């Protein structure tokens, strides 16, 4: 029975891995956008993390995940003589790679974590049924890579500790690679392994050569990582110049995040955000049960620490969360590595009736969150950006092709590389600026009536992409009901395309509009639209 359940959950994971939801701009702009521009020469932009004088993002852990699959696709298409692969294929291949990584490495690590066959089956199904596994873990986040590195770091620590007869040189070397890749991937990585890593000290004391293999391997991999980053950021530098002035991205990252004034630009949160808001969002009813277990000990020792808290994986997750809570910028995705760690060590003792209720609550929570985060959350950005070249081509059918400008408003930033080889399309990301400023941009971009009186085609190079829930645009959309001259606007928007599975949660304004009207607007008018802008003359 559990095998059929697990296979069903794998199918669900594949579905969400290939669904175009968009959870955070970092999943595109700190990985695929960088390498798609380098490999296929698609239009792309580098975020500030890669362009500052002291870059804070390393490419060392990103190369095998993004560059290798893209390079293989490029080689295959070049051998076929068909040019570059379409962006949609590249996008799905990268998502497929993330699915394979989580399917092989995460599930394998869970198998290693739990020695008891009965508990192992239940744990694998529990982790595989989490919406975090379906969505966050299959997206191209550095946090998703960190989850795999943390899990296998703990697996190797356990293997080394349990093998008391041998020095475990190979395991120490692999652990050193994971440690280096983890630090260069995210500077939060040590927070997860610092406490479990202390368990290695007795082993190193018994087997001094093992610490030597760990240290030398770590230095070697760190050298490769630093050299890779230096060559990436200084492509014209010679090997000697790279050795003299290396770029150490984890150090730059640490110095940047140590300055509280820098974190203000990313949003500040209270120090209890992870424990009181982010964990419930990720774990739902499982987190409630974990908290409840702390206060439901046996009658003889009511305040006894539950056995699951004493587990190395729970200690890793809890200690890391405490350390991460010191920093005032706290997002749910920072805790993604904690989800499989906590779920793999928590076993709630309950009656049959309680078990049914818990399973029901778990299923409802994860299905609801998966539909929201895996399908609708900014779900129209990727399909729309992929469709933009075709939309513009259809709109200009039979006319001279020219440069087009697309204004994106009230959405996450669209990945530029998804436009493919359509280099004549300019993307202007206006984010969430006030509606009046959007109209100012359109007024500057659209030709005046005196110009387009003899050439109306010039109006057809300006487009707007925005959520349908943005009621500000309604006044610019022509209706069958005639308006008085006083009500007529100077600009008209004509809808060309529409993608329904899109919700803009950043547009929730309960304070001004109230709960019911806000939900009616955002959910009832869900979708992302593409309009052609023209001046009314």
């Amino acid at each position: 029975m559990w095998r059929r359940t697990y296979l069903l959950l794998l199918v669900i994971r594949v579905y969400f891995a290939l669904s175009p939801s968009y959870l955070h701009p970092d999943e595109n702009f700190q990985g695929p956008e960088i390498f798609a521009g380098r490999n296929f020469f698609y239009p792309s932009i580098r975020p500030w993390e890669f362009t500052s004088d002291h870059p804070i993002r390393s490419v060392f852990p990103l190369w095998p995940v993004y560059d290798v699959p893209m390079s293989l696709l490029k080689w295959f298409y070049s051998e076929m003589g068909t040019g570059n692969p379409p962006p949609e294929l590249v996008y799905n291949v990268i998502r497929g790679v993330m699915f394979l990584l989580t399917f092989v490495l995460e599930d394998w690590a869970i198998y290693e974590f739990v020695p008891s066959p009965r508990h192992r089956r239940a744990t694998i199904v529990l982790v595989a049924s989490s919406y975090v596994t379906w969505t966050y873990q299959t997206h191209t986040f550095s946090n998703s890579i960190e989850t795999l590195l943390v899990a296998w770091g703990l697996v190797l620590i356990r293997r080394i500790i349990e093998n008391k007869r041998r020095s475990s040189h190979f395991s120490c070397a692999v652990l050193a690679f994971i440690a280096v890749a983890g630090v260069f991937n995210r500077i939060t990585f040590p927070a997860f392994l610092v406490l479990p890593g202390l368990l290695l000290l007795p082993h190193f004391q018994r087997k001094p050569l093992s610490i030597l293999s760990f240290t030398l391997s770590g230095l070697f991999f760190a050298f490769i990582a630093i050299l890779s980053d230096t060559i990436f950021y200084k492509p014209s530098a010679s090997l000697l110049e790279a050795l003299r002035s290396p770029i150490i991205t984890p150090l730059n990252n640490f110095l940047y995040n140590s300055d509280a004034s820098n974190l203000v630009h990313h949003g500040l949160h209270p120090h209890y955000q992870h424990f009181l808001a982010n964990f419930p969002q990720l774990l739902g009813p499982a987190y409630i049960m974990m908290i409840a277990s702390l206060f439901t000990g046996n009658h003889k020792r009511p305040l006894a620490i539950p056995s699951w808290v004493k587990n190395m994986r729970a200690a890793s997750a809890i200690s890391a969360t405490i350390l991460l809570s010191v920093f005032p910028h706290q997002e749910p995705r920072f805790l993604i590595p904690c989800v499989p760690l906590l779920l793999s060590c928590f076993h709630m003792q309950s009656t049959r009736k309680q078990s049914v209720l818990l399973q029901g609550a778990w299923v409802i929570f994860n299905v609801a969150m998966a539909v929201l985060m895996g399908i609708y959350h900014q779900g129209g950005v990727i399909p729309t950006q992929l469709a933009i070249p075709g939309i513009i081509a259809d709109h200009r059918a039979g006319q001279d092709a020219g440069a087009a400008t697309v204004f994106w408003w009230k959405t996450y930033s669209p990945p530029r590389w998804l436009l493919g080889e359509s280099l004549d399309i300019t993307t202007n990301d206006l984010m969430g600026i006030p509606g009046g400023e959007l109209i100012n941009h359109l007024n500057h971009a659209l030709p005046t009536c005196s110009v387009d009186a003899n050439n109306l085609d010039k109006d057809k190079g300006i487009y707007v992409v925005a959520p349908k829930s943005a009621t500000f645009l309604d006044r610019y959309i022509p209706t069958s009901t005639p308006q008085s001259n006083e009500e007529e606007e100077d600009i008209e928007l004509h809808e060309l395309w529409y993608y329904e599975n899109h919700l803009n949660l950043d547009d929730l304004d309960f304070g001004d509009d109230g709960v019911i009207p806000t939900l009616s607007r955002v959910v009832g008018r869900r979708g992302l639209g593409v309009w052609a802008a023209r001046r009314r003359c």
Side-chain angles (χ1 to χ4, degrees):
M1 179 64 183
W2 78 271
R3 289 186 177 89
R4 291 194 292 269
T5 303
Y6 178 68
L7 289 176
L8 174 62
L9 293 173
L10 277 183
V11 173
I12 294 174
R13 199 187 309 184
V14 171
Y15 171 79
F16 283 108
L18 300 179
S19 295
S21 72
Y22 192 179
L23 301 178
H24 193 280
D26 285 358
E27 69 177 276
N28 284 300
F29 289 93
Q30 292 190 6
E33 180 91 2
I34 303 299
F35 290 99
R38 286 171 59 89
N39 281 288
F40 307 118
F41 303 103
Y42 290 158
S44 64
I45 58 172
R46 288 190 182 185
W48 66 269
E49 293 95 336
F50 292 84
T51 58
S52 67
D53 294 334
H54 303 283
I56 68 172
R57 287 296 178 192
S58 172
V59 297
F60 173 70
L62 305 182
W63 253 312
V65 181
Y66 307 126
D67 190 58
V68 170
M70 289 185 184
S71 297
L72 289 175
L73 274 176
K74 182 179 180 180
W75 169 81
F76 178 77
Y77 269 75
S78 64
E79 289 294 312
M80 297 291 290
T82 54
N84 284 327
E88 185 173 9
L89 174 63
V90 179
Y91 177 84
N92 287 325
V93 166
I94 295 300
R95 282 288 190 87
V97 168
M98 294 304 297
F99 163 77
L100 289 176
L101 288 176
T102 182
F103 166 53
V104 176
L105 296 180
E106 184 179 13
D107 291 13
W108 185 5
I110 299 300
Y111 187 89
E112 295 260 354
F113 281 158
V114 185
S116 168
R118 183 170 63 89
H119 287 158
R120 179 189 295 153
R121 292 192 292 265
T123 300
I124 289 177
V125 170
L126 182 63
V127 176
S129 62
S130 169
Y131 89 93
V132 175
T133 303
W134 302 341
T135 57
Y136 281 99
Q137 197 58 41
T138 58
H139 284 227
T140 50
F141 283 116
S142 61
N143 311 88
S144 305
I145 300 174
E146 182 180 38
T147 301
L148 304 177
L149 294 172
V150 167
W152 274 95
L154 294 177
V155 168
L156 288 170
I157 288 175
R158 179 181 173 182
R159 286 182 180 180
I160 294 171
I161 293 172
E162 291 180 349
N163 192 352
K164 300 183 182 298
R165 294 185 178 181
R166 298 183 179 182
S167 298
S168 302
H169 294 298
F170 180 75
S171 294
C172 288
V174 177
L175 180 61
F177 169 78
I178 288 177
V180 171
V183 171
F184 276 77
N185 179 60
R186 292 189 63 83
I187 60 169
T188 57
F189 176 82
F192 292 92
L193 292 192
V194 61
L195 199 59
L198 296 177
L199 300 176
L200 290 172
L201 296 180
H203 174 82
F204 289 153
Q205 187 176 12
R206 289 193 310 270
K207 306 288 184 179
L209 290 179
S210 61
I211 192 172
L212 182 63
S213 62
F214 177 80
T215 304
L216 292 179
S217 300
L219 291 174
F220 171 75
F221 291 123
F223 171 77
I224 298 298
I226 294 173
L227 185 62
S228 300
D229 286 342
T230 305
I231 293 174
F232 178 83
Y233 288 110
K234 297 179 179 180
S236 60
S238 65
L239 179 61
L240 184 60
E241 291 173 339
L243 294 175
R244 285 179 176 175
S245 57
I247 293 179
I248 308 176
T249 52
L251 177 60
N252 296 340
N253 199 329
F254 177 77
L255 294 175
Y256 176 86
N257 285 281
S258 298
D259 188 348
S261 62
N262 292 328
L263 299 181
V264 173
H265 303 294
H266 304 276
L268 299 180
H269 307 94
H271 292 292
Y272 52 79
Q273 178 83 9
H274 279 324
F275 284 101
L276 295 188
N278 295 340
F279 264 143
Q281 181 178 329
L282 296 174
L283 294 171
Y287 186 62
I288 297 175
M289 293 301 102
M290 291 176 188
I291 297 299
S293 70
L294 299 177
F295 304 97
T296 55
N298 58 57
H299 64 281
K300 294 181 179 180
R301 300 178 61 190
L303 298 180
I305 298 176
S307 59
W308 69 269
V309 177
K310 303 174 184 178
N311 189 289
M312 179 176 67
R313 300 186 298 279
S316 170
I318 295 172
S319 61
T321 306
I322 292 173
L323 290 174
L324 295 179
S325 297
V326 173
F327 298 93
H329 179 58
Q330 302 179 21
E331 298 180 29
R333 61 191 177 95
F334 296 170
L335 301 182
I336 293 177
C338 298
V339 173
L341 300 184
L342 292 175
L343 291 180
S344 65
C345 62
F346 177 72
H347 304 286
M348 184 66 185
Q349 302 295 328
S350 60
T351 64
R352 183 176 182 84
K353 183 178 180 180
Q354 290 173 334
S355 178
V356 171
L357 291 175
L358 291 176
Q359 290 177 13
W362 177 253
V363 169
I364 292 172
F365 168 77
N366 284 287
V367 169
M369 291 299 293
V371 170
L372 175 62
M373 305 302 290
I375 297 177
Y376 284 99
H377 190 274
Q378 296 286 334
V381 175
I382 302 300
T384 302
Q385 184 73 324
L386 288 169
I388 281 291
I391 295 171
I392 294 176
D394 291 343
H395 183 234
R396 291 177 160 184
Q399 302 168 4
D400 293 335
T405 301
V406 183
F407 291 95
W408 288 73
W409 185 52
K410 284 185 175 290
T411 69
Y412 280 178
S413 185
R416 311 305 194 267
W417 71 274
L418 294 178
L419 293 172
E421 296 175 341
S422 304
L423 300 179
D424 57 346
I425 298 177
T426 300
T427 301
N428 282 348
D429 180 20
L430 303 182
M431 296 181 284
I433 65 173
E437 294 185 27
L438 166 66
I439 300 304
N440 289 338
H441 282 280
L442 294 179
N443 273 321
H444 283 95
L446 288 169
T448 61
C449 288
S450 60
V451 171
D452 68 308
N454 297 319
N455 189 3
L456 294 177
D457 288 346
K458 289 188 177 182
D459 275 346
K460 297 185 178 179
I462 307 300
Y463 302 87
V464 176
V465 179
K468 300 280 283 187
S469 60
T471 54
F472 173 83
L473 298 180
D474 290 351
R475 71 189 75 173
Y476 300 96
I477 300 174
T479 63
S480 57
T481 304
Q483 295 178 319
S484 65
N485 292 334
E486 291 78 8
E487 294 176 327
E488 287 188 351
E489 300 291 347
D490 186 41
I491 294 174
E492 288 183 348
L493 298 178
H494 298 268
E495 185 174 333
L496 305 177
W497 198 77
Y498 169 56
Y499 189 85
E500 184 177 10
N501 295 341
H502 178 94
L503 280 178
N504 180 25
L505 298 185
D506 295 333
D507 200 21
L508 297 175
D509 193 0
F510 296 128
D512 293 338
D513 299 338
V515 176
I516 301 301
T518 298
L519 292 177
S520 299
R521 175 176 58 84
V522 174
V523 178
R525 296 183 52 166
R526 63 187 177 276
L528 192 66
V530 179
W531 290 270
R534 63 178 300 170
R535 197 178 297 280
R536 190 195 305 267
C537 295

